Amino acid sequence: MELTITKKFSSTAERSPRVLEVAEAFGLGLAEKEFVIYDDLKLEIRQGDVVYVTGQSGSGKSIILREIEQEMVKHGAKVANIDMVPMESRALIDQVGTDMADAIRLLSLAGLNDAYLFIRKPEELSDGQKYRFRLAKLIESGSTVWVADEFTATLDRITAAVVAFNLQKIARKVGATVIVATTHMDLRESLQPSLYIEKYYRDRLHVERPVEQK
Ligand SMILES: Nc1ncnc2c1ncn2[C@@H]1O[C@H](COP(=O)(O)OP(=O)(O)O)[C@@H](O)[C@H]1O
Ligand SMILES: [Mg+2]
């Protein structure tokens, strides 16, 4: 899918007494200014791509994620946000699958292949295990594009690498497209992205299609 992304903000600060004082003290002009975050960026995202968006806080990661998401929905893709996957306070085995065998298949695919975990509730799982349960539900939902902002932000970096590794592995197995954004830059090895985007301030960025590994 070919996408073109343009995002600009024109920001006029509201002139409160304090705003005026700051402007005066730091020599800021308050005339209308245009902030360009993306300027006619052309992106090609293929089904099955693993897209890793990284870069500093405030550089425009969430914006590009939202833009891609909207464009894909417009093009008829079934997009699911990993953080929005609903979980109920019931045993995992009762929350996925059409029957017992299907439930075990889905949980195992997501890396939850331990009978002890089947009978636990989501709130009794570790963050990493919870993430895997979300993945089981995503696989079941049949969504073809999985999106996660602030990906692994709350996880310790070892769990983060495991979660990232599992995510790309499962996505590649079922042919889903994955798009994640995070300020953490340590996930290249575990995610093995097929499209890598590093965003800098203003409209600067680096886009790369790493050569196929393995
Ligand atoms: N409605 C808005 N008006 C002006 N600037 C905005 C608006 N929304 C976001 N921005 C700016 O766009 C930049 C990128 O935002 P965002 O994509 O959320 O960054 P991040 O990379 O941290 O996810 C930020 O510097 C933010 O201040
Ligand atoms: Mg963000």
Side-chain angles (χ1 to χ4, degrees):
M1 190 182 301
E2 281 290 345
L3 309 175
T4 304
I5 295 167
T6 296
K7 193 78 187 180
K8 302 172 184 182
F9 295 109
S10 71
S11 62
T12 349
E14 271 179 42
R15 295 167 188 246
S16 69
R18 287 185 189 178
V19 167
L20 289 173
E21 220 173 299
V22 169
E24 169 94 27
F26 295 93
L28 305 175
L30 286 180
E32 184 149 327
K33 242 196 238 160
E34 192 176 56
F35 288 98
V36 183
I37 317 260
Y38 293 97
D39 189 11
D40 206 28
L41 169 67
K42 303 258 191 298
L43 271 187
E44 198 210 336
I45 298 181
R46 306 171 192 154
Q47 185 59 42
D49 261 343
V50 174
V51 185
Y52 181 18
V53 182
T54 183
Q56 282 164 298
S57 193
S59 59
K61 303 181 296 296
S62 296
I63 286 174
I64 198 172
L65 220 64
R66 278 200 298 272
E67 294 289 317
I68 293 174
E69 200 173 336
Q70 281 168 13
E71 281 301 305
M72 290 193 142
V73 168
K74 256 192 242 163
H75 281 79
K78 200 170 171 211
V79 183
N81 192 314
I82 296 176
D83 301 298
M84 300 296 179
V85 173
M87 292 189 287
E88 296 156 43
S89 180
R90 293 193 289 148
L92 306 191
I93 196 78
D94 287 324
Q95 288 193 57
V96 285
T98 49
D99 56 27
M100 181 71 154
D102 193 36
I104 292 175
R105 180 187 70 84
L106 287 164
L107 292 171
S108 302
L109 239 140
L112 292 169
N113 34 20
D114 182 341
Y116 170 79
L117 292 172
F118 294 169
I119 58 171
R120 301 267 72 84
K121 296 174 180 177
E123 61 265 34
E124 296 165 348
L125 303 178
S126 74
D127 288 341
Q129 290 166 339
K130 252 183 232 158
Y131 220 90
R132 279 184 257 162
F133 182 56
R134 286 208 175 100
L135 290 180
K137 293 199 127 194
L138 273 182
I139 299 168
E140 183 182 32
S141 77
S143 302
T144 50
V145 184
W146 303 347
V147 176
D149 198 1
E150 300 285 350
F151 179 60
T152 71
T154 60
L155 302 180
D156 70 82
R157 300 325 293 162
I158 290 171
T159 308
V162 172
V163 164
F165 180 80
N166 286 330
L167 173 68
Q168 59 84 20
K169 200 154 179 220
I170 296 160
R172 286 181 159 118
K173 195 182 268 178
V174 301
T177 305
V178 167
I179 309 169
V180 303
T182 171
T183 194
H184 290 287
M185 302 205 172
D186 58 355
L187 299 176
R188 259 190 94 144
E189 213 179 305
S190 39
L191 270 180
Q192 297 182 26
S194 55
L195 185 61
Y196 175 73
I197 302 172
E198 194 167 331
K199 185 70 178 72
Y200 313 102
Y201 288 127
R202 303 200 181 273
D203 62 344
R204 292 180 301 124
L205 83 169
H206 167 76
V207 180
E208 186 186 330
R209 249 190 200 284
V211 279
E212 211 60 45
Q213 281 153 344
K214 278 193 292 193

